[in-house]
Amino acid sequence: MNKPEAESTYQVWYCNRCDKACKIQPPTIKPGCRCANPVPGVRPTLVTQMAQMKPRPVQALTEEEARLRSLARKDQRVTVTYEAEVSKAWLRADANGAKRIQFIVTTPDGRRHVVDPSLPGLHVEAAPEGERPVVVVTVIGGLL
């Protein structure tokens, strides 16, 4: 038999012996009555069946992914640290005329980011000699 699509309405005649469906119109669902001689009711009952949700696949989380999901809460305070190489730096005048420095940094995967040290919670440190500069970002808030 076919499974119901979005929403389906059926006429169902219930057996007076076992109180299970003995006749269904249109015949897309198998009746539940197993009586040898079913005794259908006089009038059918209209039954509306909603579509069945597909079960979501279950996947095991790694310990790292479980830890990150527990941190991804609204208003959760986290510290994100990544290493980047300074590609470009310049001075920018703000609305009050004060000059502020900004950086464009390139991470090891080749992505470029604009870093504005005047933003609250952002701190740029020099890495030990011979290494790349490190950008430490404190983010307030989460993804979920």
Side-chain angles (χ1 to χ4, degrees):
M1 300 274 165
N2 296 334
K3 289 190 177 180
E5 292 182 5
E7 179 181 292
S8 303
T9 302
Y10 304 98
Q11 289 182 339
V12 180
W13 285 264
Y14 289 98
C15 178
N16 287 332
R17 277 194 195 141
C18 64
D19 291 328
K20 294 182 181 176
C22 61
K23 181 180 175 186
I24 299 172
Q25 286 296 327
T28 55
I29 300 173
K30 189 175 181 181
C33 177
R34 300 283 181 238
C35 298
N37 293 322
V39 181
V42 178
R43 292 188 189 106
T45 303
L46 287 177
V47 176
T48 302
Q49 185 175 19
M50 303 301 287
Q52 296 175 351
M53 299 287 291
K54 292 182 181 179
R56 291 174 53 181
V58 179
Q59 86 182 51
L61 297 177
T62 63
E63 287 184 23
E64 178 67 10
E65 190 172 347
R67 185 185 70 79
L68 291 174
R69 285 188 181 195
S70 70
L71 289 173
R73 305 277 187 264
K74 187 173 181 171
D75 297 329
Q76 174 74 33
R77 193 177 182 101
V78 297
T79 301
V80 179
T81 304
Y82 64 93
E83 293 184 6
E85 193 175 293
V86 176
S87 300
K88 188 176 181 182
W90 69 93
L91 288 174
R92 175 184 66 84
D94 63 6
N96 298 331
K99 295 197 176 195
R100 306 216 183 255
I101 191 164
Q102 284 191 328
F103 298 98
I104 291 183
V105 296
T106 305
T107 55
D109 62 357
R111 295 182 183 171
R112 294 169 57 102
H113 306 277
V114 175
V115 177
D116 185 358
S118 66
L119 294 175
L122 186 92
H123 180 70
V124 178
E125 296 178 3
E129 297 220 9
E131 294 186 16
R132 297 180 179 140
V134 176
V135 178
V136 180
V137 182
T138 302
V139 181
I140 299 175
L143 299 175
L144 301 179

